[in-house]
Amino acid sequence: MASTKITLVIEPRGKPIKKLPKEIQIERDASVQQIYTSLAEASSFSIHRLRITKGSDRSLVPNSKDTTVDDAGLKDKSVVHVKDLGPQIAWRTVFIIEYLGPLLIPALFLFPLRPLLYYNFDKPLPEPSDLQLLVCGLLTVHFLKREFETVFIHRFSNATMPARNIFKNSAHYWVLAGFNIAYWVFRPDAAAAKTTNEISPALLYGGLGLFAFSELANLNTHVVLRGLRRPGTTERGIPTGFGFGLVTCPNYMFEVLAWVGVYLVSGLSWSVLFFIAVGGAQMASWAAKKERRYRKEFGDKYKRKSFVMLPGIF
């Protein structure tokens, strides 16, 4: 009876990997995930730190328990390249750190750091206005919701990312949503320093209503997206429900609308508008890519969208 085991030739790609075996034996009907497991154990690396590609065409060997060695096109004496991706950090941890900055910074700027930040204003500094307190509250609610979704709702297609990227990923939220918005909106001479009687009721109540609606709608969208992916898999279904008939990514649409609500309540602060513009541009790029992926992945089963993020605009 012919043996079902094959031998794979292992070659490092890039910097050398200590303890990496030159060959491994594996069953043809074993999952390719077992290749990752074997090499991770041998090299004492996390399974997520390794990237394995076929030597024949450089195509990725997926870290999947649903794909067999035979399905991946690996034969006896096939060469596979193993690359060390460097120290990794869990995506869930990345998002927690990203949102922690803008969650804490507004309250720090508004209270303990206020005398230091606005030292050049006449003393004594005026107390934060009700509008500034309200904006601080909206920012806190928004990023507490983000942290809640990160811990309890989101499922991630990739388990980890290179740890060195944490600083780049966090900069957008810590700098633009944290330092930028908090410093300018909480200044003693900011538009939000006015009393609630001095701001247009349309801006105040319109902004609060838009914020509340959009935050709840965004949460609902994330719950829908969570239900499309089975735990432990990267497979997705076609999303349907509130907002999905209008655009490809209603979560991005409601995200933008929530920040427009903050913009209105802030007294039309340019710093909030700047954050919306930068974040909106990035989300629009992601939404366009997702629409292309849906069309490719689901074909005729997917109802193509004319707009990916904002109806009538983009």
Side-chain angles (χ1 to χ4, degrees):
M1 182 175 179
S3 173
T4 60
K5 279 192 175 183
I6 63 171
T7 299
L8 298 179
V9 179
I10 311 300
E11 295 181 357
R13 186 175 181 186
K15 59 183 179 182
I17 301 174
K18 292 181 179 180
K19 302 180 182 178
L20 187 70
K22 294 184 178 179
E23 293 182 346
I24 62 168
Q25 287 192 327
I26 193 164
E27 299 284 346
R28 292 178 185 273
D29 59 357
S31 71
V32 287
Q33 189 176 74
Q34 290 186 35
I35 302 176
Y36 280 84
T37 301
S38 298
L39 295 179
E41 290 176 353
S43 61
S44 301
F45 277 1
S46 163
I47 193 172
H48 302 297
R49 185 167 172 165
L50 302 177
R51 186 175 190 270
I52 301 175
T53 53
K54 293 163 63 175
S56 56
D57 58 8
R58 301 287 180 90
S59 62
L60 178 69
V61 177
N63 181 9
S64 170
K65 63 181 180 182
D66 299 321
T67 303
T68 68
V69 172
D70 205 41
D71 292 338
L74 294 171
K75 310 297 182 184
D76 190 42
K77 297 300 181 180
S78 286
V79 176
V80 294
H81 294 154
V82 182
K83 184 175 182 179
D84 174 13
L85 298 176
Q88 301 288 297
I89 185 171
W91 268 107
R92 199 176 304 277
T93 303
V94 171
F95 281 110
I96 290 173
I97 294 172
E98 281 184 2
Y99 303 144
L100 186 62
L103 174 61
L104 300 178
I105 289 169
L108 290 173
F109 276 33
L110 198 57
F111 297 109
L113 299 181
R114 185 174 174 81
L116 299 175
L117 292 169
Y118 307 118
Y119 66 90
N120 55 331
F121 285 84
D122 293 337
K123 303 297 187 296
L125 286 175
E127 292 296 314
S129 72
D130 289 343
L131 276 180
Q132 289 174 325
L133 292 171
L134 183 56
V135 172
C136 183
L138 296 183
L139 295 174
T140 301
V141 167
H142 178 79
F143 285 106
L144 275 176
K145 169 181 163 293
R146 284 290 192 92
E147 295 285 28
F148 172 81
E149 292 171 336
T150 297
V151 175
F152 297 106
I153 294 180
H154 292 325
R155 289 179 178 147
F156 301 93
S157 54
N158 295 316
T160 65
M161 76 165 196
R164 63 181 180 275
N165 289 347
I166 186 64
F167 300 103
K168 178 183 69 176
N169 282 49
S170 297
H172 171 72
Y173 287 105
W174 283 62
V175 175
L176 293 185
F179 298 129
N180 169 59
I181 291 177
Y183 177 81
W184 294 105
V185 173
F186 299 154
R187 281 172 60 98
D189 61 350
K194 299 176 181 179
T195 65
T196 52
N197 293 329
E198 294 176 293
I199 188 174
S200 164
L203 291 181
L204 176 59
Y205 296 111
L208 285 175
L210 184 61
F211 177 84
F213 164 77
S214 301
E215 289 289 326
L216 291 173
N218 179 267
L219 175 61
N220 175 71
T221 304
H222 288 152
V223 172
V224 170
L225 292 173
R226 171 187 170 86
L228 298 176
R229 181 181 295 162
R230 290 180 293 130
T233 72
T234 59
E235 297 177 0
R236 302 179 182 89
I238 299 175
T240 58
F242 184 66
F244 286 99
L246 294 174
V247 293
T248 310
C249 298
N251 50 324
Y252 297 156
M253 175 178 67
F254 295 130
E255 175 80 8
V256 170
L257 291 178
W259 280 103
V260 171
V262 176
Y263 172 64
L264 297 177
V265 174
S266 72
L268 309 182
S269 171
W270 69 266
S271 61
V272 181
L273 186 61
F274 180 65
F275 176 73
I276 294 172
V278 175
Q282 179 61 75
M283 286 186 285
S285 174
W286 290 336
K289 290 179 182 178
K290 186 159 288 188
E291 173 67 17
R292 290 194 293 270
R293 183 173 62 77
Y294 282 163
R295 293 181 181 184
K296 180 179 180 181
E297 183 175 351
F298 299 115
D300 294 337
K301 295 180 181 179
Y302 176 69
K303 184 178 179 181
R304 298 187 173 201
K305 306 295 190 303
S306 299
F307 302 101
V308 297
M309 192 173 80
L310 297 174
I313 300 174
F314 181 79

